[in-house]
Amino acid sequence: MRISLLSLCLAMAFASPLTQAQSAAPATFTLAKTPGRLPKNVVPIRYDIALTPNAAARTLAGHQTVLLDVTAPTATIQFNSLNQTLSNVRFNGKPVKTVESSDEKQLTTVTLHAPAARGRHTLTFDYTGQIQTKPVGLFAQQYRTPDGVDGELLSTMFQATDARRMFPCWDEPAFRAVFKLTVTVPASWAVYSNMPQASRTVNGDLATTSFDPTPKMSTYLVEFSGGNLGEIGVDHNGTHLNVVAVKGQEEGGRVALATARQILDDFNDYFGVKYPLPKLTSIAVPGGFSGGMENWGAITYNDQALLVTPSSTLSARQKVFSIQAHEMAHQWFGNLVTMAWWDDVWLNESFASWMAARETDLRNPAWQWWQQQDESKEKAMAADARDNAQPILKHVVNELDALNSFDPAIVYKKGQAVLRMLENYMGPDDFRQGIRNYMKTHAYSNTRGADLWKALDAVSANGGKGSKGRISAIATSWTAQPGFPLVSVAAACGADGKRTVALTQQRFLLQGLGTGKGKGSWQVPLQVRSGSGPKKAVLLTGAKQQIDAGTCQDTLTVNADAIGYFRVAYDPATLALNTSKFTTLTNGDRIAMLDDQWALAEAGAAPLDSYLALVEAMGGVQNPRSWDQITGVLGTIESYQRGANGHAAFTAYARDMVRPLAQQLGWDTRPDDTPAVQNLRRAVLGQLGIWGDPATVAEARKRFAAFVADRKAVAPDDQFMVMSIIASGATPAEFEQLHAIAKDAKNESELRRYYQALTLVRDPALAEKVGAILISDEIPKQAGTVRLPLLARMVDEHPELAWDLFRKNVGALLEPYEPFGLTFLSQEAPELFWRAAPPDQLEAWFKQKLPADMASQLARGMETARFKHGQVAMMRKAADAAVSAKVAAR
């Protein structure tokens, strides 16, 4: 699933108890030793589920037969249920003694008249349940088509523990079973599930459809969708691929259908195991949830993550490809081979994220996708630099904890970055062979992390081409403990001009760096490059290490191409040398230095001047990610300066830094522009306009006037840039023009783009109007996932207003993000609203809204909020000094 919602001191690294424990070999999978609440002596083999949902009444009725394997004599059978009433419960055809269901415990306990013997048995029952109105279990999704027709469909969202809402089951991932689903719905509906239809019988206004049995799989991967749906499809190399959407919108799936063929071919080859199901359906759900859900053979997506229209931007097309690649990667990593328990959810999400980025870059080299993913890595490192960050591998004890294990920064973003670093160190061919062996060995079964490391170690042990020893020891140091290291570099020159480098490591922290507060030690795969020479792999295994590194007149980087997940602090002489020759570095090396120097400045471990010197050394280099990073940092400092005496001077400085590149790029696309350069042009011009550059604002006004007269006058990719510049300085009349354009949006992709620009208004009275719009029915229900991101864009200019709106509408804003609403509320909302109120006041409000066992998650969010509060005064002072020095030097 893809979710989403944001010291130079040389010190000895201290080994924490967790780090010391890494020497013990982690356990491989066995069902008996897998965590969970359900007993392991009764194991489901096959479910036959007959379901009759009543969408209008929001109820469902079902009949279920479960084939069980009793592995030890027992008189009780326990499984998961929620908001269901069971009746006519029979074991091997005979009534049972008692049935007790507890919604509080989410458990049903069936007591038999006598202990069941070892062997196969059947449990049958009828039940009634509920259809949800938010994306948990079986839910009803209302929508409105572009031509104004209202409709409703049913779909499912079971991850992590919500299959039990649709049918009673052993709702833990280790209990794999076969599922045969039969549904009775209105005869006018089209219906879809994991497998192809086996039969369909019409009886008046209703139709009963049976689907083929699934392979053995986990409950959270079962899927059902039904409604007024249409489809397009194609048979491709033995697999039927189809895209399903609300009828009339299915043609928007043409791009996704084409890319699905590419991705399927590539993944069949990479994993060495052909996609095993006869079909792969992609279902566009109008609203409901964000991103996608990897149900085996029937992936569901928010329709904006799957459908492409003529008005879709390049960014939207990139999103469709990358999310498709993520969810299709899950068909192997997560579905064919499933983590045993939610401790190891990273085996699903980290790998799907990494595989998606790899595939997106492979098929679309002009997008420079790995460089764009540096932003994702930086978000992970910002979260991971907190003192109380969680590790990738986190013990899960209950259902709420399972949901919290889907940490977007750590499990998705950090996991992806760590895997890329490990693949690069081991070598792509050996890494792939290990993955292939893992897939073949554990197909249709469950694993723990140790099973994967065992497969990768075996390749190295057998003399793989890139063999470098046990990958498990390196990997465990990154998955079992939180945080990451700061690698400090101290270079020394010999009489012959050759350079030796002393390397040390300590945990990098945003607060307390160099105090010994952060504990941890990592096996760090460095990529060392001297000058323009080749990269040299170095494994930093302890607190100190010395290496040879070229000659002293050459630049030096120890995270070549920005592949490593660590920070680097260069000694002053090396930093000065690298800065003076900054344009000679590769794009990746420049990106790594910009990232690290800004992070060091934020942590108070390097002067802001050292970062700004790199910015000034960029010259006319047209590297999109470098400039994204630069404009992002300058924008952060500009926001800190608001209300202070130095704001005007710093904004002028920021414009001066960006204007030469904007003039070099111009406003209009050129024939030789790559997609990355096109995005760079929009980003730079947009930021320059928001900072009030007169020439840029004037040109934007000219283009906006043309757009008001003719919607085709500005290309979809340029519309947000132009509208955002106008919105930032909008007069009441211009605001009404912007609002009219938004209300006239022809589809949801336009709606998202136009309302997003509207949120950038600076005038407080206009911002009040925008706030009212965002919580009104003007935003249709199916676009519910857009409300919170739109509100978030208002926080920077209008923090108190946005915070007030959030508090008053928190339930409605978070509903489309269920079941992950509490995770957002605890970890991301404090960071989002940090400037809206004093930290203690924020924390008190969040505590009122959160269960007590979310305390550790809230502590992480509040740590970031307090850090940002503390940053303002420090960064204002540093920025004032830096700008004054620049002015004085002119």
Side-chain angles (χ1 to χ4, degrees):
M1 182 175 184
R2 187 176 176 106
I3 64 177
S4 121
L5 252 192
L6 329 141
S7 172
L8 294 175
C9 300
L10 302 182
M12 293 289 288
F14 296 89
S16 67
L18 181 60
T19 306
Q20 293 166 354
Q22 291 166 8
S23 59
T28 54
F29 169 73
T30 63
L31 178 62
K33 294 182 179 180
T34 296
R37 288 202 297 150
L38 296 178
K40 303 298 194 295
N41 60 340
V42 179
V43 179
I45 302 299
R46 174 179 166 128
Y47 296 81
D48 283 85
I49 306 165
L51 194 69
T52 303
N54 184 331
R58 299 291 190 257
T59 60
L60 60 89
H63 176 79
Q64 194 161 309
T65 299
V66 189
L67 177 64
L68 302 172
D69 182 18
V70 175
T71 60
T74 181
T76 60
I77 301 172
Q78 196 169 66
F79 48 89
N80 298 112
S81 63
L82 183 57
N83 298 326
Q84 290 152 349
T85 301
L86 277 66
S87 61
N88 195 27
V89 181
R90 294 177 177 270
F91 186 75
N92 292 335
K94 298 179 180 179
V96 299
K97 185 176 181 181
T98 62
V99 179
E100 181 181 353
S101 295
S102 168
D103 287 340
E104 180 182 359
K105 297 178 180 178
Q106 301 187 15
L107 291 172
T108 288
T109 302
V110 174
T111 303
L112 308 177
H113 289 285
R118 289 167 55 94
R120 300 290 176 93
H121 303 270
T122 58
L123 178 70
T124 61
F125 51 83
D126 298 316
Y127 70 96
T128 57
Q130 300 175 7
I131 295 174
Q132 307 296 312
T133 55
K134 56 185 179 181
V136 289
L138 176 65
F139 67 94
Q141 178 61 46
Q142 297 175 335
Y143 60 85
R144 177 169 293 174
T145 65
D147 54 2
V149 177
D150 291 327
E152 183 175 83
L153 57 76
L154 296 181
S155 193
T156 53
M157 173 60 77
F158 291 163
Q159 195 176 56
T161 58
D162 284 318
R164 66 193 66 175
R165 291 178 182 268
M166 189 176 92
F167 61 100
C169 55
W170 280 253
D171 200 12
E172 295 178 0
F175 289 105
R176 298 178 74 109
V178 172
F179 298 85
K180 185 167 190 345
L181 180 65
T182 299
V183 294
T184 300
V185 298
S188 61
W189 281 18
V191 292
Y192 298 88
S193 188
N194 307 85
M195 298 295 287
Q197 294 184 12
S199 64
R200 183 175 187 266
T201 303
V202 177
N203 184 11
D205 292 336
L206 298 177
T208 298
T209 302
S210 291
F211 297 94
D212 287 336
T214 70
K216 285 178 60 179
M217 66 184 197
S218 301
T219 50
Y220 76 91
L221 297 171
V222 176
E223 202 282 328
F224 165 69
S225 290
N228 185 25
L229 303 171
E231 70 168 271
I232 56 174
V234 64
D235 291 322
H236 182 69
N237 292 337
T239 302
H240 182 69
L241 299 170
N242 58 334
V243 176
V244 174
V246 171
K247 186 163 286 189
Q249 299 181 44
E250 60 268 30
E251 284 298 323
R254 287 289 172 193
V255 171
L257 189 64
T259 56
R261 283 178 277 187
Q262 293 179 333
I263 296 168
L264 188 67
D265 287 344
D266 291 342
F267 286 1
N268 279 336
D269 175 66
Y270 186 88
F271 290 115
V273 176
K274 188 178 184 295
Y275 174 73
L277 274 63
K279 62 96 175 177
L280 179 56
T281 302
S282 299
I283 304 169
V285 179
F289 54 90
S290 179
M293 176 60 210
E294 66 266 21
N295 318 295
W296 211 359
I299 304 171
T300 49
Y301 298 84
N302 180 291
D303 61 355
Q304 297 303 298
L306 186 67
L307 305 181
V308 173
T309 69
S311 62
S312 294
T313 62
L314 171 63
S315 176
R317 293 168 184 266
Q318 291 174 332
K319 179 181 178 182
V320 167
F321 191 102
S322 64
I323 294 179
Q324 262 192 290
H326 181 103
E327 303 306 336
M328 289 179 67
H330 274 310
Q331 306 302 296
W332 286 265
F333 256 114
N335 300 4
L336 181 64
V337 181
T338 310
M339 81 272 144
W341 178 241
W342 300 105
D343 287 11
D344 280 305
V345 68
W346 69 274
L347 279 174
N348 287 13
E349 301 301 347
S350 298
F351 272 89
S353 297
W354 164 77
M355 195 70 189
R358 184 185 183 280
E359 174 68 7
T360 305
D361 185 68
L362 175 70
R363 284 289 185 172
N364 306 280
W367 293 356
Q368 299 181 6
W369 196 252
W370 272 124
Q371 289 186 31
Q372 287 195 45
Q373 290 301 291
D374 178 72
E375 181 181 8
S376 168
K377 184 175 73 171
E378 285 300 298
K379 289 179 179 177
M381 296 179 88
D384 212 16
R386 296 181 292 210
D387 182 51
N388 59 4
Q390 75 170 48
I392 291 175
L393 182 59
K394 174 184 175 290
H395 181 51
V396 169
V397 296
N398 56 37
E399 285 84 355
L400 180 61
D401 213 22
L403 293 175
N404 291 331
S405 67
F406 288 81
D407 186 306
I410 302 302
V411 172
Y412 290 75
K413 296 180 175 68
K414 177 181 179 178
Q416 169 185 306
V418 168
L419 288 171
R420 186 188 185 207
M421 180 174 65
L422 293 175
E423 180 207 26
N424 182 71
Y425 178 77
M426 188 174 178
D429 292 340
D430 288 352
F431 193 78
R432 180 179 63 178
Q433 188 58 54
I435 297 297
R436 287 178 167 180
N437 295 346
Y438 170 81
M439 286 293 162
K440 290 175 182 176
T441 301
H442 301 287
Y444 305 103
S445 185
N446 298 74
T447 60
R448 301 183 70 175
D451 295 294
L452 176 63
W453 306 141
K454 182 178 178 180
L456 293 171
D457 281 344
V459 175
S460 292
N462 290 331
K465 293 179 181 178
S467 176
K468 295 178 181 176
R470 288 173 58 83
I471 199 72
S472 56
I474 302 172
T476 304
S477 76
W478 292 92
T479 58
Q481 63 181 329
F484 58 90
L486 169 67
V487 177
S488 294
V489 174
C493 291
D496 57 359
K498 292 186 177 179
R499 179 168 48 204
T500 59
V501 174
L503 303 169
T504 60
Q505 65 163 298
Q506 61 175 305
R507 182 176 174 184
F508 181 86
L509 293 171
L510 282 176
Q511 296 172 293
L513 184 60
T515 64
K517 180 181 178 182
K519 304 295 190 292
S521 180
W522 290 261
Q523 296 198 30
V524 190
L526 307 176
Q527 292 286 318
V528 181
R529 176 157 42 216
S530 178
S532 59
K535 295 180 291 187
K536 174 185 175 184
V538 174
L539 186 64
L540 174 60
T541 58
K544 292 183 177 180
Q545 196 164 313
Q546 185 164 304
I547 62 170
D548 296 326
T551 61
C552 292
Q553 70 266 27
D554 290 325
T555 55
L556 174 67
T557 53
V558 299
N559 186 12
D561 296 330
I563 291 174
Y565 185 82
F566 50 85
R567 297 281 181 218
V568 181
Y570 295 96
D571 65 82
T574 303
L575 178 61
L577 176 64
N578 287 350
T579 303
S580 69
K581 298 184 177 182
F582 201 49
T583 57
T584 70
L585 300 180
T586 67
N587 286 328
D589 293 2
R590 274 193 298 271
I591 291 167
M593 286 199 65
L594 286 164
D595 288 339
D596 291 342
Q597 214 56 36
W598 167 241
L600 290 165
E602 276 195 300
L608 180 60
D609 268 346
S610 64
Y611 171 79
L612 296 178
L614 295 178
V615 175
E616 294 173 9
M618 274 292 292
V621 174
Q622 294 184 13
N623 177 244
R625 172 53 195 160
S626 294
W627 284 105
D628 280 347
Q629 199 273 356
I630 290 167
T631 55
V633 169
L634 295 178
T636 295
I637 299 173
E638 181 267 327
S639 72
Y640 287 165
Q641 288 279 43
R642 288 176 200 160
N645 292 333
H647 180 259
F650 184 81
T651 305
Y653 169 80
R655 290 195 298 261
D656 288 345
M657 289 299 98
V658 174
R659 189 182 295 110
L661 179 65
Q663 293 171 341
Q664 179 181 320
L665 290 167
W667 277 80
D668 298 313
T669 300
R670 297 163 186 166
D672 59 344
D673 282 345
T674 65
V677 168
Q678 293 173 32
N679 281 338
L680 173 62
R681 173 182 293 108
R682 298 175 191 114
V684 169
L685 288 171
Q687 193 64 62
L688 196 58
I690 288 173
W691 287 336
D693 179 68
T696 306
V697 173
E699 182 63 24
R701 289 189 185 282
K702 174 183 172 184
R703 292 174 184 248
F704 180 66
F707 183 62
V708 170
D710 178 5
R711 295 293 188 271
K712 296 180 180 179
V714 178
D717 281 296
D718 294 332
Q719 288 170 9
F720 175 73
M721 172 191 67
V722 171
M723 293 176 69
S724 65
I725 295 171
I726 300 304
S728 64
T731 65
E734 288 171 332
F735 175 82
E736 292 306 322
Q737 287 179 312
L738 288 163
H739 189 197
I741 291 169
K743 287 192 294 185
D744 193 42
K746 303 304 182 188
N747 52 55
E748 193 174 331
S749 62
E750 289 186 354
L751 179 148
R752 290 171 178 257
R753 184 159 67 245
Y754 299 160
Y755 280 96
Q756 186 179 358
L758 204 63
T759 62
L760 297 178
V761 295
R762 288 178 174 166
D763 182 279
L766 297 180
E768 291 273 2
K769 290 185 177 182
V770 174
I773 291 168
L774 297 190
I775 60 173
S776 74
D777 291 340
E778 192 171 317
I779 306 294
K781 184 174 178 59
Q782 72 207 54
T785 56
V786 80
R787 295 180 194 270
L788 187 56
L790 290 176
L791 183 65
R793 294 190 70 89
M794 297 183 67
V795 172
D796 191 45
E797 288 283 354
H798 308 284
E800 293 86 1
L801 171 63
W803 173 235
D804 185 57
L805 287 167
F806 180 77
R807 285 182 297 163
K808 291 177 179 177
N809 301 279
V810 62
L813 289 167
L814 294 182
E815 181 177 293
Y817 293 93
E818 295 298 344
F820 301 103
L822 291 179
T823 301
F824 173 86
L825 197 61
S826 58
Q827 292 187 217
E828 298 183 46
E831 180 178 352
L832 177 62
F833 294 105
W834 68 270
R835 69 176 73 203
D840 290 347
Q841 185 177 324
L842 284 175
E843 186 171 28
W845 187 86
F846 286 118
K847 282 183 175 179
Q848 292 177 350
K849 296 293 182 180
L850 292 165
D853 52 3
M854 297 287 289
S856 62
Q857 284 79 15
L858 178 57
R860 285 194 279 274
M862 289 308 305
E863 182 181 345
T864 301
R866 288 189 168 91
F867 168 74
K868 288 180 177 291
H869 261 278
Q871 276 290 97
V872 175
M874 183 186 83
M875 203 53 68
R876 281 179 174 177
K877 183 178 179 180
D880 288 346
V883 172
S884 295
K886 303 298 180 188
V887 172
R890 289 173 183 169

